[in-house]
Amino acid sequence: MRCPGCELIAQERDQVPEGRAGYGIKITLLPRLAYEALHGDDTSNGGDPAGWRRTTSPSS
């Protein structure tokens, strides 16, 4: 059994394309306050009632 955060990361990892298209993509969890600080009050991007937001982005 995994923690809820690990489950969210596993779900997002399933969405990353295989091979070159998925190279360098990072999957992270941010506390809700940190997410809102980065993205304003927009809460339409999904999330978890425990206060975590999923983010998937290319690595820099």
Side-chain angles (χ1 to χ4, degrees), residues 13 15-27 56-59:
R13 193 174 289 142
Q15 303 300 315
V16 175
E18 293 287 327
R20 190 175 184 102
Y23 179 75
I25 293 181
K26 290 183 184 178
I27 301 170
T56 306
S57 62
S59 64

Side-chain angles (χ1 to χ4, degrees), residues 18-39:
E18 293 287 327
R20 190 175 184 102
Y23 179 75
I25 293 181
K26 290 183 184 178
I27 301 170
T28 60
L29 289 176
L30 294 174
R32 178 172 287 163
L33 292 177
Y35 180 88
E36 289 172 355
L38 290 172
H39 299 285

